[in-house]
Amino acid sequence: MEERKHIVAIINPVSGTGNKDKIPRLIDTVVDHEKNDVHVVMSERPGHARELAAQAVSDHADVVVAVGGDGTVNEVGSALCKSKTALAIVPVGSGNGLARHLRISMNASRALQVLNNGVVGEFDYCTVNGKPFFCVCGMGFDAAVSDKFSHEGTRGFITYIKTALTEYINYKPQAYKIDIDDKSMTDKAFVIACCNAAQYGNNAYIAPRATMQDGLIDVTVMHPFSPVASPLLGARLFLRQLNIDNHVSIFRGKHVAIERRHDDVIHIDGDPVMMPARVVIENVRKGIRILVPQSLPDDV
């Protein structure tokens, strides 16, 4: 008889907007316990999910399940990088960018099926000043919104949109020096997003052609634009057409360095982090193992 897989499921009880109380029972119901031995734990504070995942790696777990949003996935995934332990995702956060990119169901029950029927793929991740990210790290307007959103009393897509609209009224584009491999440029930008995956979350495609298996970082530079242009830009973000907008330039490279005038907030997979004026982003080729649906398309 085949040995059961050792699985640790880490639940973030405060991610997203929904109640997580039913998740342990769902795991008990959906997961095939003849194949899998699942241990469920709750994270209790920021950074705790990473500690729990690191312990699971030390204990030679086969899979660690991140039950939460992109912040939880980042914490768990960061501890699994370059290990044999695979990441699985049950997306119950606000944006769920990585799960959406990897075609993992937004339904928790169906997402858990990858533990029974999924396949393990090897995917790229990126680092910004050594800190791993899996979807997007960014600076400029989206980082400012992320910082404000983190202090809001409620979560969810509607709150995020309200925060973005409020921030947009007063935001001033910044000047940046951008080095991508052997090319250098200086420009003012509204947003600079360094992307491993295609979207922020909620199907907002900031790098429409990004894949997690090409060894490259997609760098989306959104140039300053007038309020008149913003509705079309917003529509193209969700229609996966941002690459055809004349206010947007998208570059690709393996090594990116960006300099700003001073230390400032960036966001890492949606969470705000204070960083020095100079940040360095690098791609780590096939550095993380992730459980994905069997029918995953080739362009992911």
mmCIF file with all atom_site columns, all heavy atoms in Angstrom, residues 68-70 73 89-92 95-106 111 135 197 199 201 203 212 290 292-293 296 300:
data_model
loop_
_atom_site.group_PDB
_atom_site.id
_atom_site.type_symbol
_atom_site.label_atom_id
_atom_site.label_alt_id
_atom_site.label_comp_id
_atom_site.label_asym_id
_atom_site.label_entity_id
_atom_site.label_seq_id
_atom_site.pdbx_PDB_ins_code
_atom_site.Cartn_x
_atom_site.Cartn_y
_atom_site.Cartn_z
_atom_site.occupancy
_atom_site.B_iso_or_equiv
_atom_site.pdbx_formal_charge
_atom_site.auth_seq_id
_atom_site.auth_comp_id
_atom_site.auth_asym_id
_atom_site.auth_atom_id
_atom_site.pdbx_PDB_model_num
ATOM 1   N N   . GLY A 1 68  ? -6.105  30.911 2.905   1.00 0.00 ? 68  GLY A N   1
ATOM 2   C CA  . GLY A 1 68  ? -6.141  32.348 3.149   1.00 0.00 ? 68  GLY A CA  1
ATOM 3   C C   . GLY A 1 68  ? -6.018  33.098 1.841   1.00 0.00 ? 68  GLY A C   1
ATOM 4   O O   . GLY A 1 68  ? -6.301  32.559 0.771   1.00 0.00 ? 68  GLY A O   1
ATOM 5   N N   . GLY A 1 69  ? -5.579  34.356 1.920   1.00 0.00 ? 69  GLY A N   1
ATOM 6   C CA  . GLY A 1 69  ? -5.386  35.175 0.733   1.00 0.00 ? 69  GLY A CA  1
ATOM 7   C C   . GLY A 1 69  ? -3.938  35.196 0.301   1.00 0.00 ? 69  GLY A C   1
ATOM 8   O O   . GLY A 1 69  ? -3.118  34.381 0.744   1.00 0.00 ? 69  GLY A O   1
ATOM 9   N N   . ASP A 1 70  ? -3.593  36.151 -0.561  1.00 0.00 ? 70  ASP A N   1
ATOM 10  C CA  . ASP A 1 70  ? -2.243  36.205 -1.106  1.00 0.00 ? 70  ASP A CA  1
ATOM 11  C C   . ASP A 1 70  ? -1.188  36.485 -0.037  1.00 0.00 ? 70  ASP A C   1
ATOM 12  O O   . ASP A 1 70  ? -0.041  36.046 -0.161  1.00 0.00 ? 70  ASP A O   1
ATOM 13  C CB  . ASP A 1 70  ? -2.166  37.254 -2.215  1.00 0.00 ? 70  ASP A CB  1
ATOM 14  C CG  . ASP A 1 70  ? -2.834  36.767 -3.503  1.00 0.00 ? 70  ASP A CG  1
ATOM 15  O OD1 . ASP A 1 70  ? -2.641  35.593 -3.854  1.00 0.00 ? 70  ASP A OD1 1
ATOM 16  O OD2 . ASP A 1 70  ? -3.547  37.554 -4.141  1.00 0.00 ? 70  ASP A OD2 1
ATOM 17  N N   . VAL A 1 73  ? -0.605  33.108 1.504   1.00 0.00 ? 73  VAL A N   1
ATOM 18  C CA  . VAL A 1 73  ? 0.126   32.302 0.517   1.00 0.00 ? 73  VAL A CA  1
ATOM 19  C C   . VAL A 1 73  ? 1.592   32.730 0.479   1.00 0.00 ? 73  VAL A C   1
ATOM 20  O O   . VAL A 1 73  ? 2.495   31.889 0.402   1.00 0.00 ? 73  VAL A O   1
ATOM 21  C CB  . VAL A 1 73  ? -0.520  32.435 -0.874  1.00 0.00 ? 73  VAL A CB  1
ATOM 22  C CG1 . VAL A 1 73  ? 0.350   31.802 -1.953  1.00 0.00 ? 73  VAL A CG1 1
ATOM 23  C CG2 . VAL A 1 73  ? -1.902  31.791 -0.885  1.00 0.00 ? 73  VAL A CG2 1
ATOM 24  N N   . ILE A 1 89  ? -3.057  25.611 -2.290  1.00 0.00 ? 89  ILE A N   1
ATOM 25  C CA  . ILE A 1 89  ? -3.762  26.852 -1.961  1.00 0.00 ? 89  ILE A CA  1
ATOM 26  C C   . ILE A 1 89  ? -5.260  26.611 -1.906  1.00 0.00 ? 89  ILE A C   1
ATOM 27  O O   . ILE A 1 89  ? -5.845  26.054 -2.840  1.00 0.00 ? 89  ILE A O   1
ATOM 28  C CB  . ILE A 1 89  ? -3.468  27.953 -3.014  1.00 0.00 ? 89  ILE A CB  1
ATOM 29  C CG1 . ILE A 1 89  ? -1.964  28.189 -3.157  1.00 0.00 ? 89  ILE A CG1 1
ATOM 30  C CG2 . ILE A 1 89  ? -4.178  29.252 -2.636  1.00 0.00 ? 89  ILE A CG2 1
ATOM 31  C CD1 . ILE A 1 89  ? -1.594  29.052 -4.366  1.00 0.00 ? 89  ILE A CD1 1
ATOM 32  N N   . VAL A 1 90  ? -5.862  27.036 -0.800  1.00 0.00 ? 90  VAL A N   1
ATOM 33  C CA  . VAL A 1 90  ? -7.322  27.144 -0.710  1.00 0.00 ? 90  VAL A CA  1
ATOM 34  C C   . VAL A 1 90  ? -7.607  28.637 -0.578  1.00 0.00 ? 90  VAL A C   1
ATOM 35  O O   . VAL A 1 90  ? -7.390  29.234 0.475   1.00 0.00 ? 90  VAL A O   1
ATOM 36  C CB  . VAL A 1 90  ? -7.885  26.362 0.489   1.00 0.00 ? 90  VAL A CB  1
ATOM 37  C CG1 . VAL A 1 90  ? -9.398  26.573 0.604   1.00 0.00 ? 90  VAL A CG1 1
ATOM 38  C CG2 . VAL A 1 90  ? -7.580  24.873 0.341   1.00 0.00 ? 90  VAL A CG2 1
ATOM 39  N N   . PRO A 1 91  ? -8.048  29.280 -1.677  1.00 0.00 ? 91  PRO A N   1
ATOM 40  C CA  . PRO A 1 91  ? -8.124  30.743 -1.709  1.00 0.00 ? 91  PRO A CA  1
ATOM 41  C C   . PRO A 1 91  ? -9.373  31.293 -1.029  1.00 0.00 ? 91  PRO A C   1
ATOM 42  O O   . PRO A 1 91  ? -10.491 31.145 -1.534  1.00 0.00 ? 91  PRO A O   1
ATOM 43  C CB  . PRO A 1 91  ? -8.140  31.051 -3.214  1.00 0.00 ? 91  PRO A CB  1
ATOM 44  C CG  . PRO A 1 91  ? -8.738  29.834 -3.839  1.00 0.00 ? 91  PRO A CG  1
ATOM 45  C CD  . PRO A 1 91  ? -8.392  28.665 -2.968  1.00 0.00 ? 91  PRO A CD  1
ATOM 46  N N   . VAL A 1 92  ? -9.192  31.917 0.119   1.00 0.00 ? 92  VAL A N   1
ATOM 47  C CA  . VAL A 1 92  ? -10.322 32.511 0.840   1.00 0.00 ? 92  VAL A CA  1
ATOM 48  C C   . VAL A 1 92  ? -9.981  33.947 1.238   1.00 0.00 ? 92  VAL A C   1
ATOM 49  O O   . VAL A 1 92  ? -10.462 34.448 2.255   1.00 0.00 ? 92  VAL A O   1
ATOM 50  C CB  . VAL A 1 92  ? -10.715 31.663 2.085   1.00 0.00 ? 92  VAL A CB  1
ATOM 51  C CG1 . VAL A 1 92  ? -11.343 30.358 1.669   1.00 0.00 ? 92  VAL A CG1 1
ATOM 52  C CG2 . VAL A 1 92  ? -9.512  31.413 2.984   1.00 0.00 ? 92  VAL A CG2 1
ATOM 53  N N   . GLY A 1 95  ? -8.232  38.971 -2.802  1.00 0.00 ? 95  GLY A N   1
ATOM 54  C CA  . GLY A 1 95  ? -7.899  39.013 -4.219  1.00 0.00 ? 95  GLY A CA  1
ATOM 55  C C   . GLY A 1 95  ? -7.571  37.670 -4.836  1.00 0.00 ? 95  GLY A C   1
ATOM 56  O O   . GLY A 1 95  ? -7.947  37.376 -5.962  1.00 0.00 ? 95  GLY A O   1
ATOM 57  N N   . ASN A 1 96  ? -6.816  36.832 -4.079  1.00 0.00 ? 96  ASN A N   1
ATOM 58  C CA  . ASN A 1 96  ? -6.494  35.465 -4.508  1.00 0.00 ? 96  ASN A CA  1
ATOM 59  C C   . ASN A 1 96  ? -5.795  35.419 -5.869  1.00 0.00 ? 96  ASN A C   1
ATOM 60  O O   . ASN A 1 96  ? -6.131  34.610 -6.730  1.00 0.00 ? 96  ASN A O   1
ATOM 61  C CB  . ASN A 1 96  ? -7.761  34.596 -4.532  1.00 0.00 ? 96  ASN A CB  1
ATOM 62  C CG  . ASN A 1 96  ? -8.506  34.612 -3.209  1.00 0.00 ? 96  ASN A CG  1
ATOM 63  O OD1 . ASN A 1 96  ? -7.919  34.378 -2.153  1.00 0.00 ? 96  ASN A OD1 1
ATOM 64  N ND2 . ASN A 1 96  ? -9.782  34.920 -3.237  1.00 0.00 ? 96  ASN A ND2 1
ATOM 65  N N   . GLY A 1 97  ? -4.798  36.296 -6.048  1.00 0.00 ? 97  GLY A N   1
ATOM 66  C CA  . GLY A 1 97  ? -4.138  36.425 -7.339  1.00 0.00 ? 97  GLY A CA  1
ATOM 67  C C   . GLY A 1 97  ? -3.416  35.176 -7.797  1.00 0.00 ? 97  GLY A C   1
ATOM 68  O O   . GLY A 1 97  ? -3.536  34.780 -8.956  1.00 0.00 ? 97  GLY A O   1
ATOM 69  N N   . LEU A 1 98  ? -2.648  34.537 -6.896  1.00 0.00 ? 98  LEU A N   1
ATOM 70  C CA  . LEU A 1 98  ? -1.883  33.369 -7.314  1.00 0.00 ? 98  LEU A CA  1
ATOM 71  C C   . LEU A 1 98  ? -2.802  32.200 -7.648  1.00 0.00 ? 98  LEU A C   1
ATOM 72  O O   . LEU A 1 98  ? -2.600  31.515 -8.652  1.00 0.00 ? 98  LEU A O   1
ATOM 73  C CB  . LEU A 1 98  ? -0.882  32.960 -6.222  1.00 0.00 ? 98  LEU A CB  1
ATOM 74  C CG  . LEU A 1 98  ? 0.090   31.856 -6.628  1.00 0.00 ? 98  LEU A CG  1
ATOM 75  C CD1 . LEU A 1 98  ? 0.945   32.272 -7.823  1.00 0.00 ? 98  LEU A CD1 1
ATOM 76  C CD2 . LEU A 1 98  ? 0.980   31.442 -5.454  1.00 0.00 ? 98  LEU A CD2 1
ATOM 77  N N   . ALA A 1 99  ? -3.816  31.990 -6.832  1.00 0.00 ? 99  ALA A N   1
ATOM 78  C CA  . ALA A 1 99  ? -4.764  30.898 -7.110  1.00 0.00 ? 99  ALA A CA  1
ATOM 79  C C   . ALA A 1 99  ? -5.466  31.114 -8.443  1.00 0.00 ? 99  ALA A C   1
ATOM 80  O O   . ALA A 1 99  ? -5.625  30.178 -9.232  1.00 0.00 ? 99  ALA A O   1
ATOM 81  C CB  . ALA A 1 99  ? -5.780  30.791 -5.977  1.00 0.00 ? 99  ALA A CB  1
ATOM 82  N N   . ARG A 1 100 ? -5.883  32.335 -8.716  1.00 0.00 ? 100 ARG A N   1
ATOM 83  C CA  . ARG A 1 100 ? -6.560  32.613 -9.986  1.00 0.00 ? 100 ARG A CA  1
ATOM 84  C C   . ARG A 1 100 ? -5.610  32.376 -11.158 1.00 0.00 ? 100 ARG A C   1
ATOM 85  O O   . ARG A 1 100 ? -6.011  31.826 -12.193 1.00 0.00 ? 100 ARG A O   1
ATOM 86  C CB  . ARG A 1 100 ? -7.084  34.052 -10.002 1.00 0.00 ? 100 ARG A CB  1
ATOM 87  C CG  . ARG A 1 100 ? -8.250  34.293 -9.063  1.00 0.00 ? 100 ARG A CG  1
ATOM 88  C CD  . ARG A 1 100 ? -8.694  35.754 -9.118  1.00 0.00 ? 100 ARG A CD  1
ATOM 89  N NE  . ARG A 1 100 ? -9.571  36.117 -8.035  1.00 0.00 ? 100 ARG A NE  1
ATOM 90  C CZ  . ARG A 1 100 ? -10.903 35.962 -8.026  1.00 0.00 ? 100 ARG A CZ  1
ATOM 91  N NH1 . ARG A 1 100 ? -11.493 35.421 -9.078  1.00 0.00 ? 100 ARG A NH1 1
ATOM 92  N NH2 . ARG A 1 100 ? -11.623 36.339 -6.989  1.00 0.00 ? 100 ARG A NH2 1
ATOM 93  N N   . HIS A 1 101 ? -4.352  32.808 -11.016 1.00 0.00 ? 101 HIS A N   1
ATOM 94  C CA  . HIS A 1 101 ? -3.383  32.606 -12.099 1.00 0.00 ? 101 HIS A CA  1
ATOM 95  C C   . HIS A 1 101 ? -3.204  31.118 -12.384 1.00 0.00 ? 101 HIS A C   1
ATOM 96  O O   . HIS A 1 101 ? -3.077  30.715 -13.547 1.00 0.00 ? 101 HIS A O   1
ATOM 97  C CB  . HIS A 1 101 ? -2.034  33.226 -11.723 1.00 0.00 ? 101 HIS A CB  1
ATOM 98  C CG  . HIS A 1 101 ? -0.993  33.073 -12.778 1.00 0.00 ? 101 HIS A CG  1
ATOM 99  N ND1 . HIS A 1 101 ? -0.774  34.008 -13.770 1.00 0.00 ? 101 HIS A ND1 1
ATOM 100 C CD2 . HIS A 1 101 ? -0.109  32.063 -13.028 1.00 0.00 ? 101 HIS A CD2 1
ATOM 101 C CE1 . HIS A 1 101 ? 0.184   33.597 -14.571 1.00 0.00 ? 101 HIS A CE1 1
ATOM 102 N NE2 . HIS A 1 101 ? 0.608   32.412 -14.137 1.00 0.00 ? 101 HIS A NE2 1
ATOM 103 N N   . LEU A 1 102 ? -3.191  30.311 -11.334 1.00 0.00 ? 102 LEU A N   1
ATOM 104 C CA  . LEU A 1 102 ? -2.953  28.875 -11.474 1.00 0.00 ? 102 LEU A CA  1
ATOM 105 C C   . LEU A 1 102 ? -4.237  28.077 -11.689 1.00 0.00 ? 102 LEU A C   1
ATOM 106 O O   . LEU A 1 102 ? -4.215  26.840 -11.644 1.00 0.00 ? 102 LEU A O   1
ATOM 107 C CB  . LEU A 1 102 ? -2.221  28.348 -10.236 1.00 0.00 ? 102 LEU A CB  1
ATOM 108 C CG  . LEU A 1 102 ? -0.799  28.888 -10.042 1.00 0.00 ? 102 LEU A CG  1
ATOM 109 C CD1 . LEU A 1 102 ? -0.241  28.466 -8.687  1.00 0.00 ? 102 LEU A CD1 1
ATOM 110 C CD2 . LEU A 1 102 ? 0.122   28.418 -11.173 1.00 0.00 ? 102 LEU A CD2 1
ATOM 111 N N   . ARG A 1 103 ? -5.352  28.795 -11.942 1.00 0.00 ? 103 ARG A N   1
ATOM 112 C CA  . ARG A 1 103 ? -6.645  28.173 -12.266 1.00 0.00 ? 103 ARG A CA  1
ATOM 113 C C   . ARG A 1 103 ? -7.169  27.291 -11.129 1.00 0.00 ? 103 ARG A C   1
ATOM 114 O O   . ARG A 1 103 ? -7.875  26.303 -11.352 1.00 0.00 ? 103 ARG A O   1
ATOM 115 C CB  . ARG A 1 103 ? -6.589  27.348 -13.555 1.00 0.00 ? 103 ARG A CB  1
ATOM 116 C CG  . ARG A 1 103 ? -5.916  28.011 -14.740 1.00 0.00 ? 103 ARG A CG  1
ATOM 117 C CD  . ARG A 1 103 ? -6.606  29.277 -15.217 1.00 0.00 ? 103 ARG A CD  1
ATOM 118 N NE  . ARG A 1 103 ? -6.223  29.630 -16.574 1.00 0.00 ? 103 ARG A NE  1
ATOM 119 C CZ  . ARG A 1 103 ? -5.174  30.406 -16.886 1.00 0.00 ? 103 ARG A CZ  1
ATOM 120 N NH1 . ARG A 1 103 ? -4.400  30.899 -15.931 1.00 0.00 ? 103 ARG A NH1 1
ATOM 121 N NH2 . ARG A 1 103 ? -4.900  30.687 -18.159 1.00 0.00 ? 103 ARG A NH2 1
ATOM 122 N N   . ILE A 1 104 ? -6.802  27.647 -9.910  1.00 0.00 ? 104 ILE A N   1
ATOM 123 C CA  . ILE A 1 104 ? -7.320  26.938 -8.739  1.00 0.00 ? 104 ILE A CA  1
ATOM 124 C C   . ILE A 1 104 ? -8.699  27.504 -8.410  1.00 0.00 ? 104 ILE A C   1
ATOM 125 O O   . ILE A 1 104 ? -8.900  28.718 -8.394  1.00 0.00 ? 104 ILE A O   1
ATOM 126 C CB  . ILE A 1 104 ? -6.361  27.083 -7.543  1.00 0.00 ? 104 ILE A CB  1
ATOM 127 C CG1 . ILE A 1 104 ? -5.045  26.359 -7.857  1.00 0.00 ? 104 ILE A CG1 1
ATOM 128 C CG2 . ILE A 1 104 ? -6.979  26.538 -6.260  1.00 0.00 ? 104 ILE A CG2 1
ATOM 129 C CD1 . ILE A 1 104 ? -3.916  26.670 -6.894  1.00 0.00 ? 104 ILE A CD1 1
ATOM 130 N N   . SER A 1 105 ? -9.650  26.643 -8.144  1.00 0.00 ? 105 SER A N   1
ATOM 131 C CA  . SER A 1 105 ? -11.030 27.066 -7.935  1.00 0.00 ? 105 SER A CA  1
ATOM 132 C C   . SER A 1 105 ? -11.168 27.992 -6.736  1.00 0.00 ? 105 SER A C   1
ATOM 133 O O   . SER A 1 105 ? -10.493 27.822 -5.712  1.00 0.00 ? 105 SER A O   1
ATOM 134 C CB  . SER A 1 105 ? -11.925 25.834 -7.724  1.00 0.00 ? 105 SER A CB  1
ATOM 135 O OG  . SER A 1 105 ? -13.241 26.226 -7.411  1.00 0.00 ? 105 SER A OG  1
ATOM 136 N N   . MET A 1 106 ? -12.073 28.988 -6.874  1.00 0.00 ? 106 MET A N   1
ATOM 137 C CA  . MET A 1 106 ? -12.401 29.868 -5.755  1.00 0.00 ? 106 MET A CA  1
ATOM 138 C C   . MET A 1 106 ? -13.356 29.199 -4.766  1.00 0.00 ? 106 MET A C   1
ATOM 139 O O   . MET A 1 106 ? -13.622 29.732 -3.692  1.00 0.00 ? 106 MET A O   1
ATOM 140 C CB  . MET A 1 106 ? -13.043 31.163 -6.275  1.00 0.00 ? 106 MET A CB  1
ATOM 141 C CG  . MET A 1 106 ? -12.132 32.019 -7.125  1.00 0.00 ? 106 MET A CG  1
ATOM 142 S SD  . MET A 1 106 ? -10.655 32.642 -6.247  1.00 0.00 ? 106 MET A SD  1
ATOM 143 C CE  . MET A 1 106 ? -9.388  31.571 -6.968  1.00 0.00 ? 106 MET A CE  1
ATOM 144 N N   . ALA A 1 111 ? -11.189 23.456 -4.491  1.00 0.00 ? 111 ALA A N   1
ATOM 145 C CA  . ALA A 1 111 ? -9.752  23.732 -4.343  1.00 0.00 ? 111 ALA A CA  1
ATOM 146 C C   . ALA A 1 111 ? -9.059  22.618 -3.575  1.00 0.00 ? 111 ALA A C   1
ATOM 147 O O   . ALA A 1 111 ? -7.928  22.242 -3.890  1.00 0.00 ? 111 ALA A O   1
ATOM 148 C CB  . ALA A 1 111 ? -9.548  25.075 -3.637  1.00 0.00 ? 111 ALA A CB  1
ATOM 149 N N   . CYS A 1 135 ? 3.295   36.602 -6.945  1.00 0.00 ? 135 CYS A N   1
ATOM 150 C CA  . CYS A 1 135 ? 2.482   37.300 -7.950  1.00 0.00 ? 135 CYS A CA  1
ATOM 151 C C   . CYS A 1 135 ? 3.165   38.584 -8.389  1.00 0.00 ? 135 CYS A C   1
ATOM 152 O O   . CYS A 1 135 ? 3.783   38.628 -9.444  1.00 0.00 ? 135 CYS A O   1
ATOM 153 C CB  . CYS A 1 135 ? 1.098   37.625 -7.381  1.00 0.00 ? 135 CYS A CB  1
ATOM 154 S SG  . CYS A 1 135 ? -0.047  36.244 -7.402  1.00 0.00 ? 135 CYS A SG  1
ATOM 155 N N   . ALA A 1 197 ? 3.539   36.511 -11.821 1.00 0.00 ? 197 ALA A N   1
ATOM 156 C CA  . ALA A 1 197 ? 2.264   36.033 -12.359 1.00 0.00 ? 197 ALA A CA  1
ATOM 157 C C   . ALA A 1 197 ? 1.559   37.187 -13.060 1.00 0.00 ? 197 ALA A C   1
ATOM 158 O O   . ALA A 1 197 ? 2.027   38.322 -13.044 1.00 0.00 ? 197 ALA A O   1
ATOM 159 C CB  . ALA A 1 197 ? 1.402   35.457 -11.236 1.00 0.00 ? 197 ALA A CB  1
ATOM 160 N N   . GLN A 1 199 ? -1.543  38.597 -12.647 1.00 0.00 ? 199 GLN A N   1
ATOM 161 C CA  . GLN A 1 199 ? -2.542  39.488 -12.073 1.00 0.00 ? 199 GLN A CA  1
ATOM 162 C C   . GLN A 1 199 ? -2.293  39.833 -10.611 1.00 0.00 ? 199 GLN A C   1
ATOM 163 O O   . GLN A 1 199 ? -1.618  39.135 -9.880  1.00 0.00 ? 199 GLN A O   1
ATOM 164 C CB  . GLN A 1 199 ? -3.940  38.903 -12.234 1.00 0.00 ? 199 GLN A CB  1
ATOM 165 C CG  . GLN A 1 199 ? -4.170  37.562 -11.534 1.00 0.00 ? 199 GLN A CG  1
ATOM 166 C CD  . GLN A 1 199 ? -5.648  37.225 -11.472 1.00 0.00 ? 199 GLN A CD  1
ATOM 167 O OE1 . GLN A 1 199 ? -6.403  37.815 -10.695 1.00 0.00 ? 199 GLN A OE1 1
ATOM 168 N NE2 . GLN A 1 199 ? -6.080  36.263 -12.283 1.00 0.00 ? 199 GLN A NE2 1
ATOM 169 N N   . GLY A 1 201 ? -4.923  40.064 -8.586  1.00 0.00 ? 201 GLY A N   1
ATOM 170 C CA  . GLY A 1 201 ? -6.021  39.389 -7.900  1.00 0.00 ? 201 GLY A CA  1
ATOM 171 C C   . GLY A 1 201 ? -7.315  39.959 -8.432  1.00 0.00 ? 201 GLY A C   1
ATOM 172 O O   . GLY A 1 201 ? -7.333  40.980 -9.124  1.00 0.00 ? 201 GLY A O   1
ATOM 173 N N   . ASN A 1 203 ? -8.902  39.108 -10.844 1.00 0.00 ? 203 ASN A N   1
ATOM 174 C CA  . ASN A 1 203 ? -8.810  39.135 -12.309 1.00 0.00 ? 203 ASN A CA  1
ATOM 175 C C   . ASN A 1 203 ? -8.436  40.500 -12.860 1.00 0.00 ? 203 ASN A C   1
ATOM 176 O O   . ASN A 1 203 ? -8.873  40.892 -13.955 1.00 0.00 ? 203 ASN A O   1
ATOM 177 C CB  . ASN A 1 203 ? -10.109 38.616 -12.944 1.00 0.00 ? 203 ASN A CB  1
ATOM 178 C CG  . ASN A 1 203 ? -10.331 37.144 -12.671 1.00 0.00 ? 203 ASN A CG  1
ATOM 179 O OD1 . ASN A 1 203 ? -9.380  36.358 -12.676 1.00 0.00 ? 203 ASN A OD1 1
ATOM 180 N ND2 . ASN A 1 203 ? -11.568 36.762 -12.399 1.00 0.00 ? 203 ASN A ND2 1
ATOM 181 N N   . MET A 1 212 ? 4.636   31.882 -15.090 1.00 0.00 ? 212 MET A N   1
ATOM 182 C CA  . MET A 1 212 ? 5.474   31.526 -13.942 1.00 0.00 ? 212 MET A CA  1
ATOM 183 C C   . MET A 1 212 ? 6.480   30.437 -14.284 1.00 0.00 ? 212 MET A C   1
ATOM 184 O O   . MET A 1 212 ? 7.030   29.798 -13.391 1.00 0.00 ? 212 MET A O   1
ATOM 185 C CB  . MET A 1 212 ? 4.593   31.075 -12.776 1.00 0.00 ? 212 MET A CB  1
ATOM 186 C CG  . MET A 1 212 ? 3.717   32.170 -12.199 1.00 0.00 ? 212 MET A CG  1
ATOM 187 S SD  . MET A 1 212 ? 2.642   31.586 -10.873 1.00 0.00 ? 212 MET A SD  1
ATOM 188 C CE  . MET A 1 212 ? 3.851   31.054 -9.637  1.00 0.00 ? 212 MET A CE  1
ATOM 189 N N   . ILE A 1 290 ? 4.312   23.559 -6.547  1.00 0.00 ? 290 ILE A N   1
ATOM 190 C CA  . ILE A 1 290 ? 2.927   23.921 -6.227  1.00 0.00 ? 290 ILE A CA  1
ATOM 191 C C   . ILE A 1 290 ? 1.978   22.856 -6.775  1.00 0.00 ? 290 ILE A C   1
ATOM 192 O O   . ILE A 1 290 ? 2.125   22.402 -7.911  1.00 0.00 ? 290 ILE A O   1
ATOM 193 C CB  . ILE A 1 290 ? 2.548   25.303 -6.818  1.00 0.00 ? 290 ILE A CB  1
ATOM 194 C CG1 . ILE A 1 290 ? 3.549   26.376 -6.370  1.00 0.00 ? 290 ILE A CG1 1
ATOM 195 C CG2 . ILE A 1 290 ? 1.138   25.698 -6.395  1.00 0.00 ? 290 ILE A CG2 1
ATOM 196 C CD1 . ILE A 1 290 ? 3.288   27.770 -6.955  1.00 0.00 ? 290 ILE A CD1 1
ATOM 197 N N   . VAL A 1 292 ? -1.321  21.852 -8.407  1.00 0.00 ? 292 VAL A N   1
ATOM 198 C CA  . VAL A 1 292 ? -2.212  22.548 -9.332  1.00 0.00 ? 292 VAL A CA  1
ATOM 199 C C   . VAL A 1 292 ? -3.194  21.556 -9.942  1.00 0.00 ? 292 VAL A C   1
ATOM 200 O O   . VAL A 1 292 ? -2.987  20.344 -9.905  1.00 0.00 ? 292 VAL A O   1
ATOM 201 C CB  . VAL A 1 292 ? -1.406  23.246 -10.457 1.00 0.00 ? 292 VAL A CB  1
ATOM 202 C CG1 . VAL A 1 292 ? -0.574  24.388 -9.884  1.00 0.00 ? 292 VAL A CG1 1
ATOM 203 C CG2 . VAL A 1 292 ? -0.512  22.244 -11.195 1.00 0.00 ? 292 VAL A CG2 1
ATOM 204 N N   . PRO A 1 293 ? -4.286  22.065 -10.540 1.00 0.00 ? 293 PRO A N   1
ATOM 205 C CA  . PRO A 1 293 ? -5.236  21.163 -11.210 1.00 0.00 ? 293 PRO A CA  1
ATOM 206 C C   . PRO A 1 293 ? -4.560  20.404 -12.353 1.00 0.00 ? 293 PRO A C   1
ATOM 207 O O   . PRO A 1 293 ? -3.611  20.880 -12.971 1.00 0.00 ? 293 PRO A O   1
ATOM 208 C CB  . PRO A 1 293 ? -6.305  22.135 -11.755 1.00 0.00 ? 293 PRO A CB  1
ATOM 209 C CG  . PRO A 1 293 ? -6.193  23.356 -10.897 1.00 0.00 ? 293 PRO A CG  1
ATOM 210 C CD  . PRO A 1 293 ? -4.738  23.471 -10.533 1.00 0.00 ? 293 PRO A CD  1
ATOM 211 N N   . LEU A 1 296 ? -4.161  22.102 -16.110 1.00 0.00 ? 296 LEU A N   1
ATOM 212 C CA  . LEU A 1 296 ? -3.555  23.449 -16.173 1.00 0.00 ? 296 LEU A CA  1
ATOM 213 C C   . LEU A 1 296 ? -3.031  23.737 -17.580 1.00 0.00 ? 296 LEU A C   1
ATOM 214 O O   . LEU A 1 296 ? -2.308  22.936 -18.161 1.00 0.00 ? 296 LEU A O   1
ATOM 215 C CB  . LEU A 1 296 ? -2.398  23.526 -15.175 1.00 0.00 ? 296 LEU A CB  1
ATOM 216 C CG  . LEU A 1 296 ? -1.890  24.934 -14.829 1.00 0.00 ? 296 LEU A CG  1
ATOM 217 C CD1 . LEU A 1 296 ? -2.944  25.694 -14.047 1.00 0.00 ? 296 LEU A CD1 1
ATOM 218 C CD2 . LEU A 1 296 ? -0.596  24.851 -14.035 1.00 0.00 ? 296 LEU A CD2 1
ATOM 219 N N   . VAL A 1 300 ? 0.660   29.074 -18.284 1.00 0.00 ? 300 VAL A N   1
ATOM 220 C CA  . VAL A 1 300 ? 0.675   29.522 -16.898 1.00 0.00 ? 300 VAL A CA  1
ATOM 221 C C   . VAL A 1 300 ? 2.104   29.561 -16.362 1.00 0.00 ? 300 VAL A C   1
ATOM 222 O O   . VAL A 1 300 ? 2.431   30.409 -15.564 1.00 0.00 ? 300 VAL A O   1
ATOM 223 C CB  . VAL A 1 300 ? -0.216  28.616 -16.045 1.00 0.00 ? 300 VAL A CB  1
ATOM 224 C CG1 . VAL A 1 300 ? 0.005   28.855 -14.567 1.00 0.00 ? 300 VAL A CG1 1
ATOM 225 C CG2 . VAL A 1 300 ? -1.678  28.834 -16.383 1.00 0.00 ? 300 VAL A CG2 1
#
